Amino acid sequence: MERSEGIEKENGSVEEKQSFKDGSICGYDSLQRLLSANLKPQIFQEVSRLLLGLNCGRPLETIVPPKSAIALSSKHDFDIQAFSFSADKELLREPRVVRVGLIQNSIALPTTAPFLDQKKAIFKKLRPIIEAAGASGVNILCLQEAWMMPFAFCTREKRWCEFAEPDNGESTQFLQEFACKYNMVIINPILERDVNHGETLWNTAIIIGNHGNIIGKHRKNHIPRVGDFNESTYYMEGNTGHPVFETTYGKIAVNICYGRHHPLNWLAFGLNGAEIVFNPSATVGELSEPMWPIEARNAAIANSYFVGSINRVGTEIFPNPFTSGDGKPQHPDFGHFYGSSHFSAPDASCTPSLSRYKDGLLISDMDLNLCRQLKDKWGFRMTARYELYADILARYLKPDFEPQVIPDPLLHKKSS
């Protein structure tokens, strides 16, 4: 028995190392596929119910993408999955079904390639995935954070600023073509060069309307200073507030990356009336993976809207090693960007995740009537105590703030 346990531990260690190396989970694309392959169907169904929830009391419905989209995914080797969130039938309102897409991807060329070649290659790589979204009838499509470039914000090297572009720059023009072709709203997260304000840099999401027009933009509210994420070398906190963009398909907002760790950031988009909030991100397994399935799903529940969470994939190796200021040796990469993009709904249901290591397109139909239905059911907006929250926040912001702590008068009394 001891010998057997020793072998299992040894094999387990090998599997863990292999998983870390190729980005898989013990050879599987995602947790859901691992469970599906290793559990009996009845047990898997119950585990899925607990992990993914139920949509209107039923397991989430799977959609078969059109053959043309499947052919593109096969030819260009990207994951494609599609699901449908329902809402209860209403007597006074028709269903408000919108089809939404998320794209996750790795970089197209090594970080050592000439910058111009990297930009051309990422356009070429994304084109068939966007075409698959268009062929699938996607109404709103969101790309990952800073999709046009390596996520170089760990390096603190200024040369990566060359990837910055104005809000009407190269990537916006590239995506406007698809917006017009497919009558699709597209969210374009870029490193923005603000030419009207001294070429200041921002981490920005451009909202492109379904007619190819620019509706507006949102700049990242929260900048991380944790681990390798030294992003304030390049840009600081955004100045656009919490805008919600009213499109022909619904009211949408963008909570960029690190903002997902701040519950009040999610709340503010909800207070402004968002029905779908996108969270384009770039985050690595060692830092945040246990948080990933929780935070956005909790935001969807607490704020009665849908959330689309996107994370890039792959390990990006940079030419010059860097340090994090945490005592660890210098290293040339962030770690593995674990993908796992998914949708969350206000009724606590969510989709399975895309691959942990492969490019992918996730599609979901969502009936936006579900947002109001869950507001009516739980009454979070009615039962919240905003006046109390406003009071504590106002007092907290003052230099002479004192926490409301009531000590036990016998706390420091010595026992006899």
Side-chain angles (χ1 to χ4, degrees), residues 128-241:
I129 308 180
I130 300 171
E131 293 281 8
S136 301
V138 166
N139 303 127
I140 307 172
L141 179 68
C142 187
L143 281 64
Q144 68 193 21
E145 182 184 21
W147 69 276
M148 272 289 295
M149 60 182 292
F151 206 75
F153 309 133
C154 53
T155 68
R156 300 189 294 280
E157 294 177 355
K158 293 293 188 177
R159 66 196 188 95
W160 302 102
C161 295
E162 286 193 51
F163 279 98
E165 57 181 295
D167 56 11
N168 60 351
E170 220 177 334
S171 65
T172 296
Q173 293 171 29
F174 171 73
L175 295 174
Q176 284 173 318
E177 167 195 337
F178 298 102
C180 293
K181 180 177 180 180
Y182 293 112
N183 195 32
M184 185 162 56
V185 172
I186 304 180
I187 300 166
N188 177 26
I190 63 168
L191 180 61
E192 180 199 0
R193 185 175 295 279
D194 185 357
V195 294
N196 291 333
H197 293 90
E199 303 211 5
T200 300
L201 301 185
W202 305 96
N203 188 321
T204 302
I206 312 298
I207 315 301
I208 301 170
N210 58 307
H211 300 292
N213 56 307
I214 296 176
I215 298 175
K217 61 188 173 186
H218 173 58
R219 291 166 173 162
K220 188 172 181 175
N221 277 334
H222 300 274
I223 308 302
R225 295 165 181 84
V226 54
D228 287 327
F229 290 82
N230 301 295
E231 298 177 30
S232 56
T233 301
Y234 299 88
Y235 41 79
M236 296 299 285
E237 286 76 10
N239 59 0
T240 53

Side-chain angles (χ1 to χ4, degrees), residues 29-46:
D29 272 27
S30 65
L31 175 62
Q32 192 75 0
R33 287 175 176 170
L34 181 153
L35 295 172
S36 176
N38 289 279
L39 295 178
K40 294 179 180 178
Q42 185 177 357
I43 296 175
F44 173 68
Q45 182 179 359
E46 189 66 4

